[in-house]
Amino acid sequence: MTYAPCHIIAVIPTPADGETGPLGYSDPVFSDTETSEKIQASGILQLFASLLTPQSSCTAKVANIIAEVAKNEFMRIPCVDAGLISPLVQLLNSKDQEVLLHTGRALGNVCYDSHEGRSAVDQAGGAQIVIDRLRSLCSSADPASEKLLTVFCGMLMNYSNENDSLQAQLINMGVIPTLVTLLGIHCHNSALTEMCLVAFGNLAELESSKEQFASTNIAEELVRLFKKQVEHDKREMIFEVLAPLAENDAIKLQLVEAGLVECLLEIVQEKVDSDKEDDIAELKTASDLMVLLLLGDESMQKLFEGGKGSVFQRVLSWIPSNNHQLQLAGALAIANFARNDGNCIHMVDSGIVEKLMDLLDRHVEDGNVTVQHAALSALRNLAIPVVNKAKMLSAGVTETVLKFLKSEMPPVQFKLLGTLRMLIDAQAEAAEQLGKNVKLVERLVEWCEAKDHAGVMGESNRLLSALIRHSKSKDVIKTIVQSGGIKHLVTMATSEHVIMQNEALVALALIAALELGTAEKDLESAKLVQILHRLLTDERTAPEIKYNSMVLTCALMGSESLHKEVQDLAFLDVVSKLRSHENKSVSQQASLTEQRLTVGS
C-alpha cells in the first residue's frame, strides 16, 4: 500500500526608482520617443562606441545617454547594431562608480525584453563580470555601493528574465550564494532586498537551482526577513520565493527549522476572521505553504512530533473551522501527516477520523469539492494500516463516504473509491456488505466506463475486484453479475498494469469457482477464453499473470460452453510448452493445468 501525498513566473524586476523593467536613476532626458528617434536618425549611436573608454572624460555621460534611450524598446536593437555592447561590458571593469552605475543601467535596459541585447551581453561575457563585481562589492555598506549593487542585480534579472538557458548560466556561475550573502548583509536596504527577492523568484523556478539554494542559508535569511515585514506586498514577494523553494525536500526541512511554520500559523490566526481581500489571499497563501512543507517526509515528521507537536495540534483545530480554506488546508495537512503507519495509528486512536467525518457531513449537499477531496484523501491514507481498518469501519466511515456516491466530480469519485478499497482490504464482512449494495455496484459499473477519467475507471475496476476477492461471497458475485460488472473485470485482465491484471484474474477465478453458472454467459460474451489464450501465448506476459491465467482456465472447465472454447483454441498445446518455463511456479501450474485439460477432454 502506498501513502499518497496531497498537493494543492518570472517577474519583471522593479527598480528602486519605481520604474518597471528599464533601470532608472537619472532624469529621463532622452527617454521620450521623439528624442530617441532623432538620436537614431542622426547616426550618433555609432559614434558612442569610440567614446566608451576609461580614458574619456565623457564616458559616464555617454553610458547614461545609452541607458536612457534604451528605455525605449525600439532603440535596443540599434544600440546592439551600433556595437555598443562590447565597450559597455569592458567598462564594467572600471573603478569609477558613476561609470559603473550608468554602464550597469545601460546594459540592463538594452537586455530588457530583448533577445538581441541579451545575446550581445552574453557573447561579450558581461554576466560573469557583473557577478564578480557583486562579490567584490558585497560587503560594502555605503549608499553608493548599495545603489550599484541594486543596479547590477537588476541588470542580471533583465538579462535572464524568463530565459531558462541564461538563468541556468547564472546558476552555474554561482550567482545564488552571492545573492544570498547580499540579502543577509543588506537586508536593511529595501530596494536591494526587493531586487534579490525578484532574482530568487526567477531562479527558483529552475529545478537545477534547488540544490544550490539548499547549500546556502537562504531559508534562515528569508524567514528572518519575513518576520520583519508587516506590509502585505512585502510578504507577498517573499511568499513568491518561498513557494518554489519549498518544493525541494531539503529546503522544506531548513524552512521548518528556521521557524517559518510559526510565522505561517501566526498569519492564519491574524487573518482568519478578516473579510479583506488581501487578508483572505494571505491566509490562503500561508495555509497552502504550510501544506507544501508537509510534503517532505523529514519536515512532516519533525512537525508531527509523535502527534504531540503544537503545530500538529494547531492544524488539527482548522478542520472544525467555518473557513473553507482552513478546512481544506487542515484536511490536506492530516492527509500528509498520514504517510506512515505510526502516524496513522496514532491519529485514528486520537479521534481524527470522527473530525474528518463531521467535516464531510458538512459538505454533502452542494459542498466544497476541494474540501471533499482533501478529507477523503486523509481517510484513504488513514485506512492503510491493518489495525485501523476495523476501527474506521466501526466508526461508520463507509456510511459517510457512500454519501458522496452521487458526486459527479472525478477527483471526489477517485478518492471515494480509493478509500473504500483500502477499508475493505482483508475485511470480509465489510466487503460483503458493500458488495451487496446494489446502488454502489451499479455506480461502479457506470464509472468503469469513464474513459475520460482513467483514474476513476481504474479505481472502479479495482474496487469491483476487491469486493469479490475479500468477501468470497456468492451474493456479492450475483450482484456484480446482475449489474453488468463481469465484462469490466475481463477487460481489466488486459490492463497494462500487472497488479490490476492479477486482481482481475483472481476475482474471475473466484467467480468461476463459486458462481460459474450465473456468470457463464457474461464470461462468454466478454471473450474471456480468447483473452486467456492471448495472455498465455504472449511471451511478454508476466509469470504471475501466466500462473493465474492457468488457474482461471482450470476453474472454467465446469462450464460446457467455456470448456469447448478452451478445446477449440488448443490450450493443451500452449500449456504443454509452459511446462518448461523458467519460472518454477508457472511450470508446476502448467503441469497441473495440462492434467486438468487432459482429463476434461
Side-chain angles (χ1 to χ4, degrees):
M1 302 296 180
T2 55
Y3 289 94
C6 300
H7 302 261
I8 335 226
I9 72 189
V11 181
I12 299 298
T14 302
D17 65 345
E19 296 177 19
T20 301
L23 303 172
Y25 296 119
S26 179
D27 296 328
V29 179
F30 300 98
S31 60
D32 65 274
T33 304
E34 186 180 352
T35 306
S36 294
E37 285 174 345
K38 288 178 181 177
I39 288 174
Q40 184 183 8
S42 70
I44 198 172
L45 283 178
Q46 283 72 15
L47 301 176
F48 282 167
S50 62
L51 299 174
L52 292 171
T53 63
Q55 297 80 20
S56 173
S57 59
C58 57
T59 299
K61 290 184 173 64
V62 174
N64 182 30
I65 293 170
I66 297 169
E68 292 300 322
V69 297
K71 288 182 179 180
N72 295 292
E73 184 179 356
F74 70 91
M75 290 297 291
R76 291 167 198 155
I77 293 177
C79 285
V80 174
D81 293 342
L84 302 179
I85 305 307
S86 183
L88 282 170
V89 168
Q90 293 308 309
L91 287 176
L92 291 171
N93 294 306
S94 172
K95 294 180 180 177
D96 186 313
Q97 285 214 331
E98 189 181 7
V99 170
L100 288 172
L101 182 71
H102 294 307
T103 299
R105 289 179 55 240
L107 289 170
N109 290 351
V110 170
C111 287
Y112 179 68
D113 204 20
S114 169
H115 170 72
E116 292 77 8
R118 292 171 180 179
S119 294
V121 172
D122 181 20
Q123 289 168 15
Q128 185 64 67
I129 298 173
V130 170
I131 292 173
D132 290 342
R133 295 313 302 249
L134 285 175
R135 290 192 186 114
S136 65
L137 288 166
C138 194
S139 301
S140 302
D142 62 282
S145 294
E146 289 191 329
K147 203 171 188 180
L148 198 51
L149 286 166
T150 305
V151 167
F152 282 161
C153 284
M155 180 260 162
L156 289 178
M157 289 312 94
N158 282 359
Y159 171 72
S160 64
N161 189 51
E162 295 185 342
N163 187 308
D164 287 357
S165 62
L166 292 180
Q167 287 176 354
Q169 179 195 78
L170 295 183
I171 291 166
N172 290 334
M173 290 176 177
V175 74
I176 288 173
T178 302
L179 291 174
V180 173
T181 303
L182 265 181
L183 181 66
I185 295 172
H186 301 277
C187 57
H188 60 278
N189 184 307
S190 60
L192 185 48
T193 295
E194 286 182 22
M195 202 62 80
C196 286
L197 290 174
V198 173
F200 293 147
N202 287 346
L203 297 170
E205 296 291 341
L206 260 67
E207 195 56 41
S208 59
S209 73
K210 304 294 200 307
E211 192 174 330
Q212 205 171 109
F213 272 117
S215 67
T216 71
N217 63 335
I218 183 68
E220 192 180 320
E221 294 295 355
L222 287 175
V223 172
R224 185 172 64 168
L225 188 64
F226 192 87
K227 288 177 179 177
K228 290 162 56 178
Q229 305 305 321
V230 290
E231 295 176 32
H232 169 78
D233 291 347
K234 297 289 175 63
R235 280 178 170 177
E236 190 174 19
M237 283 191 78
I238 301 173
F239 274 137
E240 286 175 0
V241 179
L242 289 169
L245 286 180
E247 291 171 5
N248 177 275
D249 283 358
I251 299 175
K252 281 185 182 76
L253 184 59
Q254 291 170 10
L255 289 169
V256 167
E257 290 174 340
L260 178 61
V261 172
E262 287 73 15
C263 297
L264 299 177
L265 291 173
E266 197 174 312
I267 288 173
V268 169
Q269 193 169 346
E270 284 175 11
K271 311 296 183 184
V272 66
D273 296 321
S274 174
D275 54 5
K276 291 180 182 175
E277 196 173 323
D278 282 353
D279 289 347
I280 293 170
E282 198 166 353
L283 172 72
K284 182 182 186 314
T285 304
S287 53
D288 284 350
L289 185 52
M290 180 80 200
V291 172
L292 183 57
L293 292 174
L294 292 173
L295 287 171
D297 289 338
E298 285 187 80
S299 53
M300 176 273 290
Q301 208 57 43
K302 186 174 183 67
L303 292 171
F304 189 67
E305 291 185 80
K308 297 174 183 175
S310 60
V311 173
F312 172 68
Q313 296 300 329
R314 288 277 291 279
V315 168
L316 202 56
S317 71
W318 293 354
I319 294 176
S321 162
N322 290 320
N323 184 300
H324 282 185
Q325 176 57 35
L326 283 194
Q327 292 173 359
L328 170 64
L332 286 173
I334 296 305
N336 286 322
F337 279 124
R339 289 215 311 280
N340 61 56
D341 281 9
N343 289 6
C344 287
I345 292 165
H346 176 87
M347 286 193 280
V348 168
D349 289 343
S350 301
I352 284 174
V353 168
E354 288 74 13
K355 291 180 187 291
L356 290 168
M357 288 166 61
D358 289 344
L359 177 59
L360 282 170
D361 280 337
R362 294 165 68 183
H363 287 274
V364 174
E365 299 298 331
D366 302 319
N368 184 297
V369 173
T370 55
V371 174
Q372 294 170 359
H373 177 264
L376 288 168
S377 297
L379 288 173
R380 185 255 184 212
N381 279 5
L382 290 169
I384 291 175
V386 176
V387 295
N388 282 357
K389 297 180 192 297
K391 295 174 185 175
M392 292 177 70
L393 288 166
S394 63
V397 171
T398 50
E399 290 80 359
T400 298
V401 171
L402 287 172
K403 293 175 185 176
F404 295 91
L405 261 186
K406 58 187 177 181
S407 173
E408 296 300 331
M409 304 305 294
V412 174
Q413 295 167 354
F414 180 74
K415 288 299 179 182
L416 175 154
L417 293 164
T419 304
L420 291 177
R421 188 166 60 82
M422 290 301 164
L423 282 169
I424 65 167
D425 187 21
Q427 306 296 309
E429 188 179 336
E432 182 170 11
Q433 188 179 354
L434 282 177
K436 292 190 292 187
N437 183 325
V438 177
K439 283 186 178 179
L440 169 63
V441 174
E442 287 178 347
R443 194 70 159 133
L444 292 182
V445 171
E446 179 188 337
W447 287 341
C448 281
E449 296 174 358
K451 291 184 171 59
D452 291 339
H453 303 288
V456 172
M457 188 167 69
E459 276 292 343
S460 299
N461 279 296
R462 294 191 75 186
L463 183 53
L464 266 185
S465 164
L467 291 170
I468 295 168
R469 288 183 294 110
H470 296 304
S471 70
K472 298 179 177 62
S473 161
K474 291 188 174 188
D475 289 337
V476 170
I477 293 171
K478 287 176 184 174
T479 303
I480 289 173
V481 171
Q482 289 162 7
S483 301
I486 295 297
K487 62 181 180 182
H488 297 299
L489 290 171
V490 174
T491 301
M492 182 182 170
T494 65
S495 168
E496 60 184 331
H497 304 292
V498 172
I499 188 169
M500 289 180 66
Q501 284 185 291
N502 254 330
E503 289 172 358
L505 291 169
V506 171
L508 289 166
L510 284 167
I511 291 169
L514 297 173
E515 278 294 327
L516 184 55
T518 306
E520 185 179 46
K521 286 185 179 178
D522 287 350
L523 293 171
E524 277 185 67
S525 61
K527 297 185 169 28
L528 173 61
V529 173
Q530 290 93 321
I531 286 170
L532 290 173
H533 186 270
R534 191 163 71 242
L535 290 173
L536 290 171
T537 54
D538 191 339
E539 292 181 2
R540 295 167 298 177
T541 302
E544 57 266 43
I545 302 303
K546 287 187 183 291
Y547 177 90
N548 282 324
S549 294
M550 287 188 282
V551 171
L552 175 53
T553 301
C554 291
L556 296 177
M557 293 299 94
S559 160
E560 188 176 333
S561 58
L562 292 169
H563 187 173
K564 186 176 183 307
E565 284 189 37
V566 169
Q567 286 180 320
D568 291 346
L569 284 173
F571 264 67
L572 201 51
D573 294 341
V574 176
V575 171
S576 295
K577 291 177 183 176
L578 290 174
R579 286 172 54 193
S580 58
H581 196 278
E582 60 185 1
N583 183 285
K584 191 176 179 181
S585 296
V586 171
S587 61
Q588 287 178 346
Q589 184 58 43
S591 297
L592 293 172
T593 305
E594 186 180 37
Q595 292 172 25
R596 179 75 176 87
L597 294 179
T598 304
V599 170
S601 61

